[in-house]
Amino acid sequence: MVLFNHSFEFPKQSLEQINTPDGRYYKTEAGILLPSVTTVLGKSPKPELLAWKQRVGEDEANKILKQAGRRGTVIHKIAEAYLLNDVDWKKNIMPFNLATFLSIKPWIDTNIETVYGIEMPLYSLELNTAGTTDLVAKVN
């Protein structure tokens, strides 16, 4: 098993998360309210997605989106545990989800050198947005 070097030298930002009907926002330590990246992207037009939903039908599209969301969440958790060097990273994982993760594992093993942070809150006053990044790492 590849063991990843960890260098958690970057202090985690303290961002207060605020959920509203209009989207998710983060408040910086200075009190500045910034929309999440997900909120900003959610408000952008998605003509390709709308065309796909019309093509397959709303019910089928919702079913596929829900399945994909659940699967993505599981793969994300597996990858996170793996990158944290959790020896039990594949414990209690359904074979289909394990197979999906194993298809991306070689890239992770080859390219990720040092893990600097996982689930790191970040914000940019220049971009006027905030969020939580899945991974901050040195990539070869």
Side-chain angles (χ1 to χ4, degrees):
M1 176 173 144
V2 172
L3 293 179
F4 297 95
N5 295 318
H6 293 141
S7 178
F8 297 122
E9 62 193 62
F10 298 112
K12 277 195 171 185
Q13 302 283 336
S14 179
L15 297 177
E16 178 186 352
Q17 182 177 312
I18 301 167
N19 295 311
T20 73
D22 190 41
R24 181 180 309 136
Y25 293 82
Y26 291 93
K27 187 185 288 188
T28 69
E29 292 171 332
I32 300 168
L33 199 61
L34 299 168
S36 73
V37 172
T38 304
T39 295
V40 171
L41 292 175
K43 293 179 181 179
S44 66
K46 298 168 193 64
E48 296 85 2
L49 183 59
L50 291 174
W52 170 73
K53 284 182 176 183
Q54 289 174 343
R55 199 169 52 253
V56 301
E58 193 74 27
D59 289 343
E60 182 66 12
N62 288 335
K63 177 182 167 189
I64 292 168
L65 289 170
K66 188 181 280 189
Q67 287 173 335
R70 281 194 306 262
R71 186 171 173 209
T73 298
V74 170
I75 302 307
H76 178 273
K77 287 180 181 180
I78 297 169
E80 188 174 282
Y82 183 68
L83 287 161
L84 287 170
N85 297 327
D86 181 345
V87 295
D88 292 326
W89 66 268
K90 57 183 165 179
K91 187 176 181 182
N92 299 321
I93 302 297
M94 296 295 290
F96 184 73
N97 292 325
L98 182 59
T100 300
F101 176 74
L102 291 176
S103 73
I104 62 171
K105 182 181 172 294
W107 187 93
I108 293 171
D109 291 344
T110 301
N111 294 287
I112 301 296
E113 293 181 18
T114 302
V115 175
Y116 293 107
I118 291 179
E119 299 299 329
M120 296 286 293
L122 302 171
Y123 69 90
S124 169
L125 297 177
E126 184 177 334
L127 299 174
N128 192 44
T129 192
T132 303
T133 185
D134 295 327
L135 175 67
V136 178
K138 181 177 181 184
V139 178
N140 68 4

